[in-house]
């Protein structure tokens, strides 16, 4: 089997409501997504999506994916997409780094591998069943009242896990907001405070030692070193997210005892191949893991849910589904969706989703 054509589409994905990250310093209204289809000489095609969470959240941006495709795609024509490791090595030789830009291509290869073997991705990743994965809400930063209302709304929609974005320059205000949100949390629901790097280590250590709350705290500071400094001086479990881009970053985080768990995001680390390696490392060192993506439609969400569903329940935390924040849906009623607080991966071969071609419109580029 050989790759004969790679096609890319640019999609502007408007959010239902503007979203503010912790500190209120990053506001998003539209996501820039790239859909990729890989066609083969045997008539089997695979789909992938790359979608950073805005241009300023990570060192990744939508146009960067399409610029990288200009370099990568010509070098991948003729390769066997079923050989996912060899395919990834070819991408890494052609364009070192820029892992986020490689993710949609890698996901499309896994889709093809699933289709030709007749197996769903959760099966290829080693699971024995399509396990329902708990989903978590993502609560935009705001006043305590605004955030409590957003959590109550998510709870009505079945969510039992919530990720509240807090963190700013006023430590006392952050502390008050954490206490208020926690006090208003419906019974038997789980809450993480996601700081999105907004605190300096001194602020994190002060705030987290000034409360009796023991919620998980996500990415309190900018770097692995700063988070490791904090992790050794606070009683709450630390989850890392934005500072992890490569396998080496995860190894460094483990060596520095910087966290009790991580976010595994295929679109941040380079696709399902690298995300699975990281997930398996996390299993071996006893981490708790949220497996989800950086953003995008139900296509990217479904790819991540396949990996989440194949992660042992003991190590698995809830997964965020970005597509619920979007005002558009290029895959109506397909893929992993929130059903009573859980998302289940499709049982069809491959990813199990097929984008609406009318929605995609004209491609932005074709390589063959
Ligand atoms: Mg996060």
């Amino acid at each position: 089997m050989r790759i004969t054509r790679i096609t890319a589409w640019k999609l502007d994905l408007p959010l239902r409501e503007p979203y503010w990250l912790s500190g209120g310093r990053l506001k998003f209204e539209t996501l820039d997504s790239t859909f990729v289809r890989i066609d083969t000489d045997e008539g089997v095609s695979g789909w992938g999506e790359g979608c950073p969470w805005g241009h300023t959240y990570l060192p990744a941006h939508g146009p960067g994916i399409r610029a990288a495709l200009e370099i990568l795609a010509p070098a991948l024509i003729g390769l066997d997409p079923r050989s996912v490791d060899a395919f990834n090595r070819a991408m890494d030789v052609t364009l070192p780094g820029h892992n986020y830009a490689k993710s949609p291509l890698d996901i499309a290869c896994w889709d093809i591998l699933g289709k030709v073997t007749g197996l769903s991705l959760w099966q290829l990743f080693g699971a024995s069943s399509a396990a329902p994965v708990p989903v978590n809400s993502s609560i935009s930063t705001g006043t305590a009242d605004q955030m409590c209302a957003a959590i109550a709304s998510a709870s009505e929609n079945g969510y039992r896990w919530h990720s509240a974005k807090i963190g700013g320059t006023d430590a006392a205000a952050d502390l008050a907001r954490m206490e208020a949100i926690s006090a208003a949390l419906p019974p038997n629901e789980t809450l993480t405070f996601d700081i999105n790097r907004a605190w300096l280590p001194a602020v994190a250590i002060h705030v987290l030692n000034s409360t009796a709350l023991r919620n998980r705290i996500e990415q309190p500071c900018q770097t692995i070193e700063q988070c490791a400094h904090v992790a050794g001086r606070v009683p709450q479990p630390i989850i890392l997210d934005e500072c992890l881009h490569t396998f080496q970053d995860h190894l460094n985080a483990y060596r520095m005892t910087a966290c009790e768990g991580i976010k595994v995001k295929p679109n941040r680390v380079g696709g399902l191949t690298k995300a699975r390696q990281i997930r398996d490392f996390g299993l071996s060192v006893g981490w708790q893991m949220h497996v989800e993506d950086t953003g995008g439609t139900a296509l990217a969400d479904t790819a991540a849910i396949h990996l989440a569903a194949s992660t042992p329940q003991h190590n698995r935390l809830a997964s965020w589904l970005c597509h619920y924040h979007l005002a558009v849906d290029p895959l109506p009623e397909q893929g992993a969706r929130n059903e009573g607080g859980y998302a289940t991966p499709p049982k069809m071969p491959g990813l199990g989703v097929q984008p609406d071609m009318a929605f995609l419109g004209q491609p932005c580029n074709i390589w063959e």
Side-chain angles (χ1 to χ4, degrees):
M1 174 178 281
R2 299 288 171 229
I3 294 172
T4 54
R5 184 187 301 116
I6 297 174
T7 309
W9 289 261
K10 177 186 187 299
L11 278 73
D12 290 319
L13 306 175
L15 300 182
R16 292 180 189 275
E17 298 174 358
Y19 190 99
W20 282 267
L21 270 177
S22 297
R25 66 205 194 285
L26 301 171
K27 178 186 176 186
F28 308 128
E29 294 178 291
T30 303
L31 302 183
D32 178 334
S33 178
T34 302
F35 273 37
V36 168
R37 190 185 67 210
I38 293 180
D39 298 322
T40 65
D41 59 355
E42 295 185 19
V44 180
S45 300
W47 287 93
E49 179 182 12
C51 184
W53 183 236
H55 296 330
T56 52
Y57 168 59
L58 292 172
H61 67 138
I65 294 176
R66 294 184 293 278
L69 287 175
E70 300 265 5
I71 308 295
L72 290 166
L76 304 173
I77 300 295
L79 299 186
D80 187 336
R82 300 169 301 181
S83 304
V84 290
D85 289 338
F87 181 90
N88 271 268
R89 284 195 292 274
M91 289 201 291
D92 289 341
V93 166
T94 304
L95 183 67
H98 301 274
N99 283 344
Y100 75 98
K102 297 166 181 167
S103 182
L105 293 163
D106 173 75
I107 293 171
C109 287
W110 279 98
D111 191 20
I112 291 171
L113 180 60
K115 286 171 177 170
V116 298
T117 56
L119 298 172
S120 299
L121 294 198
W122 54 265
Q123 291 177 293
L124 292 176
F125 296 147
S128 59
S129 66
V133 176
V135 294
N136 70 262
S137 69
S138 180
I139 306 299
S140 172
T141 200
T143 66
D145 285 347
Q146 289 168 335
M147 297 180 75
C148 288
I151 289 172
S153 174
S155 186
E156 284 177 12
N157 287 316
Y159 289 88
R160 296 293 176 266
W161 294 64
H162 309 278
S163 175
K165 313 300 175 184
I166 65 156
T169 53
D170 187 336
D174 276 338
L175 199 51
R177 196 161 42 160
M178 289 170 68
E179 302 279 0
I181 295 168
S182 184
L185 189 72
N188 302 317
E189 301 199 7
T190 302
L191 173 66
T192 292
F193 291 109
D194 189 356
I195 318 303
N196 292 134
R197 302 161 279 171
W199 285 337
L200 294 174
V203 176
I205 291 166
H206 168 68
V207 171
L208 297 176
N209 282 296
S210 302
T211 176
L213 298 175
R214 293 294 181 267
N215 306 69
R216 292 185 186 87
I217 303 296
E218 189 170 311
Q219 194 72 44
C221 304
Q222 188 76 30
T223 66
I224 298 173
E225 289 81 358
Q226 291 171 353
C227 291
H229 183 80
V230 170
R233 291 164 177 79
V234 301
Q236 296 84 0
I238 299 294
I239 302 291
L240 293 185
D241 183 356
E242 293 100 312
C243 64
L244 303 172
H245 301 276
T246 65
F247 188 90
Q248 185 67 45
D249 290 336
H250 294 77
L251 197 54
N252 292 343
Y254 173 69
R255 283 174 171 159
M256 285 185 254
T257 58
C259 61
E260 278 71 39
I262 60 170
K263 285 278 178 81
V264 180
K265 296 182 175 177
N267 265 322
R268 170 157 50 63
V269 300
L272 290 166
T273 300
K274 290 186 167 89
R276 186 181 62 158
Q277 293 166 354
I278 289 163
R279 188 279 308 271
D280 289 345
F281 175 71
L283 296 180
S284 70
V285 300
W287 277 342
Q288 297 180 316
M289 292 176 276
H290 298 269
V291 184
E292 59 190 43
D293 225 324
T294 53
T297 71
L299 200 164
D301 285 340
T302 299
I305 291 296
H306 277 290
L307 187 61
S310 72
T311 301
Q313 188 175 358
H314 197 53
N315 298 78
R316 189 182 64 216
L317 300 173
S319 299
W320 172 61
L321 300 173
C322 178
H323 69 264
Y324 283 98
H325 293 259
L326 304 178
V328 295
D329 190 348
L331 309 92
E333 300 178 16
Q334 298 182 54
R337 305 278 172 164
N338 171 32
E339 294 176 81
Y342 290 86
T344 305
K347 294 186 174 65
M348 294 96 83
L351 276 172
V353 296
Q354 176 71 35
D356 175 356
M357 297 306 294
F359 183 94
L360 297 190
Q362 289 299 310
C364 61
N365 218 332
I366 300 173
W367 296 270
E368 48 191 0

